[in-house]
Amino acid sequence: MKPPPTAAATSDSDGGGGGGGGGGLIRPSRICYMAILSAVFWFLVFSLLSGMPGGGDLSSVLFRPSSLSLPLLNSFTFDQNPSPEQQPPPAPAPAEDRCAGRYIYMYDMPARFNEELLRDCRALRPWTAEGMCRYVANGGMGEPMGGDGGGVFSERGWFDTDQFVLDIIFHGRMKRYGCLTGDPAAAAAVFVPFYGSCDLGRHIFHRNASVKDALSEDLVGWLTRRPEWRAMGGRDHFFVAGRTTWDFRRERDEGWEWGSKLLNYPAVQNMTAILVEASPWSRNNLAVPYPTYFHPETAADVAAWQRRVRAAARPWLFSFAGGPRKGNGTIRADIIRQCGASSRCNLFHCHGAAASGCNAPGAVMRVFESSRFCLEPRGDTMTRRSTFDAILAGCIPVFFHPGSAYTQYTLHLPPERGGWSVLIPHADVTGRNVSIEETLAAISLEKVRSMREEVIRLIPTVVYADTRSSRVDFRDAFDVAVDAVVGRVARRRRGEPDARR
């Protein structure tokens, strides 16, 4: 009887071992082999590390790169200095703000300060039957003249414009100003659309000072209560009074005296006042051209008129359109005398029975277009609208006092006065009997052509574009004035003193 098998032999019976002579050995399993190999491997590794400097850094041995190794990857960040082909496309540049620094905030004022005054247009000129009705039409430009005037005017752009309606015209142009803003904090200046000339016109002969000044006092109270006013105390505000400065500087309230005292209020003196004639002693007002009959819509309209006056025949050496005046010396009397005695002067005498002809725009412009030089003495005040009618006609203006243009319209007329005008001091004419004809005849034809070309070049910036048009594409007298106000307010914000002009 055989003995029973051992436990070890039993456990190995599934190994499939066979064959003679081996049935009694104990074979180690695969797990034992793996454990022994792992132990030997790690023993060799730690033995090796113990003999190396810095042997504690296991990764430097296990993962030391070789010449065949791939480069290690950077962490996932964008290259700070990419090559040009890796550069991302540039972001689109922000659109340029063409109105930057030129925004205007315009008050939406109660109608009693402006448009309501036009409803009773007859009362604005109470000494005539028709009042101002024909002149306040079409945004202050007046009734269109079209081809009227005996062929003097072109078909478009010509209106029967009164000389004292600039506040209405300016408001109309401002309504279509391309840089209006509804945010007063973003504005470079604040416009006050007050019709001072209309207010004065309806009370111009009234003897009660409180009646004359009622709307002006109302205006001051309304403005000074506004938050927009408090931002700079009104020093960023401006308005247009469409008459001369002297019409708004009444000094006394007793008895009858000309004008209102609009410009004498301290609050108004903080503002910039735009007028057709400024005071040489006040820094808060600016003089701008009187409105003429021409209100073009486009640069093409201006260029067409410039070509016309450039080609005009000018048989007269000089001309004068006007009448005598009281209270301004004898200069007009001497001009009328000298012009009447000269065969080279065209005298359009606005006196007596002939005075009505001077109110006909076509007749006046015909005189100017046919003359090389136009005599421009002072009017009821130092300036006169005729200066700008002459420039419009391409006629070289002749002044007899610097205050008639040079010290007034510094924004719109070049400082090189000899390039576009002539000055004959009035004292030379009245005291020394200087001949106007001889003085003008001594100017060479080449110089005359050069001066006339400069006068024609001035036309765009001394006229006011059509108040109804939104397609004005040239810089007119309105634009020049607005830019001057914006510049003045900017200087005030910087704490700089006001310039005289």
Side-chain angles (χ1 to χ4, degrees):
M1 186 175 203
K2 294 182 179 178
T6 63
T10 304
S11 66
D12 194 46
S13 63
D14 293 337
L25 294 176
I26 302 176
R27 296 181 179 180
S29 68
R30 290 188 182 93
I31 294 176
C32 291
Y33 282 118
M34 293 298 297
I36 293 169
L37 288 174
S38 178
V40 172
F41 172 78
W42 286 109
F43 173 77
L44 292 174
V45 167
F46 283 107
S47 296
L48 178 65
L49 289 175
S50 62
M52 295 177 59
D57 186 3
L58 181 62
S59 65
S60 65
V61 175
L62 297 182
F63 304 108
R64 179 177 294 167
S66 71
S67 60
L68 298 178
S69 300
L70 294 174
L72 299 178
L73 294 177
N74 293 328
S75 61
F76 191 72
T77 57
F78 291 107
D79 191 350
Q80 299 300 312
N81 296 288
S83 61
E85 60 272 13
Q86 294 173 321
Q87 292 277 6
E96 183 180 355
D97 185 358
R98 67 179 184 84
C99 293
R102 298 178 57 242
Y103 284 105
I104 300 294
Y105 176 78
M106 179 171 64
Y107 280 119
D108 182 13
M109 302 183 71
R112 67 181 182 274
F113 292 119
N114 42 56
E115 294 177 355
E116 192 172 287
L117 295 169
L118 307 183
R119 294 173 188 168
D120 190 8
C121 53
R122 292 182 182 276
L124 303 181
R125 186 172 282 174
W127 59 93
T128 65
E130 65 175 2
M132 286 285 290
C133 295
R134 64 175 300 164
Y135 299 112
V136 301
N138 296 306
M141 296 184 297
E143 296 291 341
M145 292 190 292
D148 293 346
V152 175
F153 307 120
S154 50
E155 290 296 324
R156 49 185 289 166
W158 292 88
F159 299 82
D160 190 6
T161 306
D162 186 78
Q163 63 179 331
F164 293 141
V165 291
L166 186 58
D167 36 12
I168 307 174
I169 291 174
F170 215 92
H171 189 198
R173 288 284 286 117
M174 187 61 76
K175 289 177 181 178
R176 290 166 177 78
Y177 179 63
C179 296
L180 286 179
T181 177
D183 180 8
V190 178
F191 178 58
V192 180
F194 173 57
Y195 294 174
S197 69
C198 298
D199 176 45
L200 179 62
R202 61 182 180 157
H203 300 309
I204 201 163
F205 293 126
H206 206 288
R207 292 184 173 273
N208 189 326
S210 62
V211 172
K212 287 184 178 183
D213 300 327
L215 194 60
S216 296
E217 292 185 358
D218 186 5
L219 172 73
V220 170
W222 188 86
L223 284 174
T224 53
R225 291 191 297 268
R226 302 283 302 188
E228 298 89 345
W229 178 275
R230 292 194 292 270
M232 286 185 67
R235 297 178 71 246
D236 57 346
H237 285 46
F238 71 105
F239 70 103
V240 179
R243 300 180 68 98
T244 74
T245 187
W246 317 114
D247 291 323
F248 305 101
R249 295 185 180 276
R250 194 187 74 245
E251 296 293 338
R252 299 182 300 172
D253 291 342
E254 299 81 15
W256 185 89
E257 191 173 349
W258 181 266
S260 76
K261 59 180 183 181
L262 171 65
L263 296 181
N264 292 339
Y265 293 102
V268 175
Q269 291 176 2
N270 282 357
M271 304 164 66
T272 296
I274 295 177
L275 308 112
V276 293
E277 180 176 330
S279 167
W281 301 285
S282 177
R283 292 182 178 272
N284 78 319
N285 51 187
L286 299 175
V288 298
Y290 286 83
T292 65
Y293 304 114
F294 189 37
H295 303 282
E297 285 191 76
T298 67
D301 294 337
V302 177
W305 177 253
Q306 288 174 310
R307 288 193 297 270
R308 175 170 176 158
V309 296
R310 186 178 289 116
R314 299 183 185 271
W316 300 100
L317 174 63
F318 63 115
S319 64
F320 175 64
R325 286 287 190 276
K326 296 180 181 180
N328 63 352
T330 60
I331 183 64
R332 282 205 175 205
D334 282 302
I335 286 172
I336 292 171
R337 176 180 58 79
Q338 288 199 30
C339 185
S342 172
S343 62
R344 306 176 73 182
C345 183
N346 186 4
L347 177 62
F348 194 61
H349 200 178
C350 302
H351 183 62
S356 59
C358 289
N359 294 323
V364 175
M365 290 297 291
R366 191 177 299 109
V367 171
F368 292 163
E369 282 188 40
S370 64
S371 307
R372 297 182 216 168
F373 297 94
C374 291
L375 308 185
E376 301 298 339
R378 58 174 292 176
D380 292 322
T381 60
M382 191 63 72
T383 64
R384 64 193 301 236
R385 175 223 180 110
S386 174
T387 294
F388 299 99
D389 290 336
I391 292 174
L392 181 59
C395 187
I396 302 166
V398 179
F399 301 112
F400 299 88
H401 194 287
S404 291
Y406 304 143
T407 61
Q408 286 286 335
Y409 307 108
T410 57
L411 300 175
H412 296 77
L413 300 178
E416 302 82 10
R417 59 185 69 173
W420 60 276
S421 66
V422 176
L423 175 65
I424 305 176
H426 66 93
D428 288 354
V429 177
T430 60
R432 297 175 52 236
N433 201 30
V434 167
S435 169
I436 298 172
E437 179 180 348
E438 291 177 3
T439 301
L440 300 178
I443 302 175
S444 69
L445 291 179
E446 182 180 354
K447 177 65 172 176
V448 170
R449 283 193 291 269
S450 172
M451 296 172 72
R452 181 163 60 247
E453 189 59 35
E454 181 66 11
V455 167
I456 293 172
R457 188 188 67 80
L458 293 175
I459 290 175
T461 53
V462 300
V463 300
Y464 297 91
D466 193 318
T467 60
R468 306 162 305 174
S469 177
S470 57
R471 62 192 189 105
V472 175
D473 59 353
F474 69 97
R475 180 175 165 83
D476 71 341
F478 166 86
D479 292 313
V480 175
V482 169
D483 287 350
V485 170
V486 167
R488 164 176 283 214
V489 174
R491 290 190 295 273
R492 287 179 169 184
R493 293 184 195 276
R494 294 192 298 265
E496 300 174 10
D498 288 340
R500 175 63 189 88
R501 290 288 184 268

